[in-house]
Structures are given as structure tokens and as C-alpha cells.
Amino acid sequence: MAASIKDVAKEAGVSIATVSRVLNDVDVVNEDTKKKVKEAIKKLGYRPNIVARSLKTQRTRTIGILVPDISSQFYPEVVRGAEDVANIYGYNIMLCNSDLDIEKEKEYLRVMKEKMVDGVIYMSSSLQEEILELINELQVTTVLVESKDEKGIIPSVTIDNELATYESTKYLIGKQNKDIAFIGVHKDGANAWSDRFTGYEKAIKESGLKLNEDIIYFDDLRPRSGYEGIKAMLEKGSKFDSLVCASDEVAMGAINALRDSGINVPGDVDVVGFNDIYAASLFYPRLTTISQPMYDMGSVAMRMLIKLVNHQELEQTQFVLPHDLVERDSCK
């Protein structure tokens, strides 16, 4: 028969209320008593009834994490950073994948609210007004990762996506490239991905080059988009000497399409990716790319969220972490 909280109290020689305070990490219990209770819990193999406990405390010690595309190599690394911090503080994770579908995102937010998660780390393919309104309506404590809301109301962890792609485009211009193509997400998208086109556009115009719509392709950040984007440009007869991609997966798809068309990378076309996923250093040619601190983004966001759900003040609400341009073999 499973041990009860009453059994733990008897073993530790304390009251049931004291055991409850230890389980809920209430500071009024001294360290010696906490140690006794924890030893009793370990000895008896006691596991608290989470449902009963959450009904009483209105806390489940569960954090919801919403990602737009779990097949991307970017998000698992962010989740790993978040989960490692959650484990340190005794929180569980509920992971939801919206598959780039805004209706799924809204449904998952409602589900997580129903499951009484203490808070949500939200990574989204779209940070539209209706999503922000729903977060506000549900009153679920939220930290954004990768994107930030324009008003800066919701805490967030990002890099400067516009600056990062501006720098990668200027890097290609510095290599005497003049016809620089782009494959990524449209600049009207309400998320970090669209900022990457804005950075590209800024660098092109600032350098006095022509913004050529024939060598710009908008879709999502999957490998298929890179492959189809290149095929579409080549079918038009468009000429380009380099390519800025809004993700490493896009870059890999694009390089495969170029290779299938007899175009060498980097001999004929220079290619820059974005994210620096693990595969970027293994792909041939090894990708020059913008490196994001993926693990740190997850861990910083989780630390922020745990502070918020425990009603602690944040020293900073909008974290912009550093990025870096990693030079490898996909550029001359």
C-alpha cells in the first residue's frame, strides 16, 4: 500500500501541516525539520497526489511549452535548456507542438489553462493580436522565446534577429557579392522570422544594391522551402551569386536544389544560414550561419517564468541575448 502524508508525518515526527509546508517549499520550516521530512519521504517512497494538491494550492508545478515545429532542430535545444532548469526547481513539463497552425496554438493555450499549468513558455510561428488577446484573456503567466510583442508587455527572450540577418547580408556583400537572394518568411509576419527579412532588406538598400523580387522567396523555415525556393528562382532564369536563408534547414534544402541543378556551393553561390543547429557543422558543405544561444534561451526563459509564477520581481523583462556569425565552408 502506498505511503500517505500521514505516514510521512509519523516517520519524521512532525505534523501533517509541516509535511505539507515542506512539499510546498514554504520558508517557515527550519532546515533540520525539512531534512527529516525529506528523509522520511525518501524512505517511504511517498509521492504526493498531484491532483489533490493542485486543487488545494491552485498550483500544479507544471510548465507548458508551446513550439511551432518540433521537427526543427532549433526547438528541442531550447526545450532542453528550459527543462533542465525546470528539473532543478521541481517543475514538470507539458510540451505541445502547434505544427505552424495558429488555430492549434490557440487550442493548446486553452488546454494548458484547463490543465492548470503554472505558466507557459510560448514559441510561435505567429504572434498576432488575437494570440496576445487570448493570453491576456486566459490570464496565463507567459514568457515568449524567439519573438517579442511590439508593446513589450509580455516578458521575452530573443536575439536581435534583424541585426543578425543584416550582418550576414553585409558579410556576403563584403565578399563582393551583388545579386543576393533571400529565402525565408515574409516581413509582414508578426514574429522573429519576419525580422530576418527586414535585416536583409536594410543591408541591401543601405549598400546601394537592387532589391530584386525575382530572387526573394517567402514560405516557412523547413528544408522544402529552401529547395522549392531555389527551383522557383532558377525556373524564372534569375541570376544570383549568393543566398541568405532564414534558417539552417532552409539553407540545406537550397544547397541540395543548387547541387541538383549543377550549381556549386560555394564555387558558384555563397550560402549563409541561421540558427547554427547541430547539423550545420555536419552538412556538406559545412554551413556558415548565424549562431543563436538556443540552450540559454530556454534556460533564461524558464528562470524568468519560475520567478513570475512565484510572484518574484524580474530584474529585466526583455532579454536580448548575443548572436554570432560562424564562418564555415558554404561561402568562398
Side-chain angles (χ1 to χ4, degrees):
M1 185 175 176
S4 68
I5 192 170
K6 186 176 179 180
D7 297 327
V8 173
K10 184 178 179 181
E11 178 69 28
V14 299
S15 68
I16 292 174
T18 298
V19 176
S20 179
R21 290 189 188 101
V22 172
L23 291 170
N24 291 297
D25 201 23
V26 177
D27 292 335
V28 296
V29 183
N30 66 53
E31 290 303 318
D32 287 341
T33 303
K34 279 185 181 179
K35 186 179 178 182
K36 285 181 184 177
V37 172
K38 288 178 180 178
E39 286 174 351
I41 288 170
K42 186 176 181 181
K43 180 180 177 181
L44 298 173
Y46 171 70
R47 293 181 68 85
N49 185 319
I50 296 204
V51 174
R53 187 172 159 190
S54 63
L55 289 172
K56 184 176 181 181
T57 64
Q58 294 299 299
R59 297 278 298 278
T60 60
R61 298 194 75 82
T62 300
I63 300 294
I65 300 181
L66 180 58
V67 300
D69 182 10
I70 200 65
S71 69
S72 165
Q73 290 184 34
F74 174 82
Y75 296 106
E77 187 67 10
V78 178
V79 171
R80 191 166 73 89
E83 186 174 25
D84 283 353
V85 172
N87 287 339
I88 290 170
Y89 290 95
Y91 284 82
N92 301 306
I93 294 298
M94 176 188 292
L95 182 62
C96 300
N97 172 47
S98 69
D99 202 28
L100 304 172
D101 184 335
I102 189 171
E103 293 304 318
K104 270 191 178 181
E105 288 181 6
K106 291 192 286 188
E107 182 58 26
Y108 275 134
L109 282 171
R110 295 187 183 99
V111 167
M112 286 189 283
K113 177 66 176 180
E114 290 170 2
K115 298 293 184 183
M116 296 176 63
V117 297
D118 294 340
V120 172
I121 289 178
Y122 184 83
M123 292 172 270
S124 171
S125 61
S126 174
L127 201 58
Q128 295 180 18
E129 192 62 34
E130 59 187 298
I131 291 290
L132 297 174
E133 288 175 357
L134 181 59
I135 290 172
N136 185 57
E137 176 192 325
L138 295 174
Q139 295 184 316
V140 58
T141 305
T142 303
V143 172
L144 305 174
V145 172
E146 195 180 20
S147 298
K148 60 182 179 181
D149 68 301
E150 291 182 359
K151 297 176 183 176
I153 296 171
I154 303 175
S156 65
V157 182
T158 64
I159 66 163
D160 190 331
N161 284 272
E162 181 178 328
L163 177 62
T165 315
Y166 172 87
E167 290 174 353
S168 65
T169 307
K170 293 288 279 189
Y171 171 80
L172 292 174
I173 293 169
K175 290 183 172 293
Q176 308 306 311
N177 291 300
K178 298 188 183 301
D179 298 305
I180 304 173
F182 177 87
I183 301 177
V185 173
H186 197 281
K187 66 179 180 180
D188 292 340
N191 55 33
W193 306 345
S194 58
D195 290 342
R196 296 172 193 174
F197 177 77
T198 305
Y200 159 83
E201 183 180 42
K202 181 180 178 182
I204 294 292
K205 290 181 177 179
E206 187 180 282
S207 302
L209 301 176
K210 181 184 177 184
L211 193 69
N212 182 356
E213 292 186 3
D214 287 341
I215 54 174
I216 295 172
Y217 185 86
F218 295 125
D219 200 348
D220 57 35
L221 300 187
R222 291 169 170 165
R224 171 187 50 77
S225 299
Y227 194 94
E228 293 180 357
I230 290 297
K231 289 296 187 183
M233 293 177 197
L234 295 178
E235 284 171 7
K236 292 178 187 175
S238 303
K239 303 294 183 183
F240 50 93
D241 51 23
S242 53
L243 171 66
V244 173
C245 297
S247 80
D248 292 335
E249 285 100 331
V250 165
M252 292 173 189
I255 289 172
N256 284 338
L258 289 166
R259 189 180 291 134
D260 288 350
S261 301
I263 299 170
N264 294 319
V265 176
D268 302 315
V269 175
D270 288 340
V271 177
V272 176
F274 202 109
N275 287 334
D276 196 23
I277 60 176
Y278 179 63
S281 63
L282 303 176
F283 190 78
Y284 180 78
R286 297 184 310 144
L287 283 179
T288 293
T289 185
I290 293 292
S291 176
Q292 290 203 73
M294 296 172 278
Y295 182 92
D296 291 346
M297 292 170 82
S299 62
V300 170
M302 183 58 76
R303 289 182 190 277
M304 291 171 70
L305 187 56
I306 289 173
K307 279 192 171 185
L308 287 171
V309 300
N310 287 287
H311 308 292
Q312 297 174 8
E313 188 175 346
L314 296 178
E315 298 85 8
Q316 187 176 338
T317 59
Q318 309 295 323
F319 276 85
V320 181
L321 300 184
H323 63 270
D324 193 22
L325 178 67
V326 179
E327 295 184 76
R328 295 197 183 100
D329 305 329
S330 60
C331 295
K332 290 187 288 290

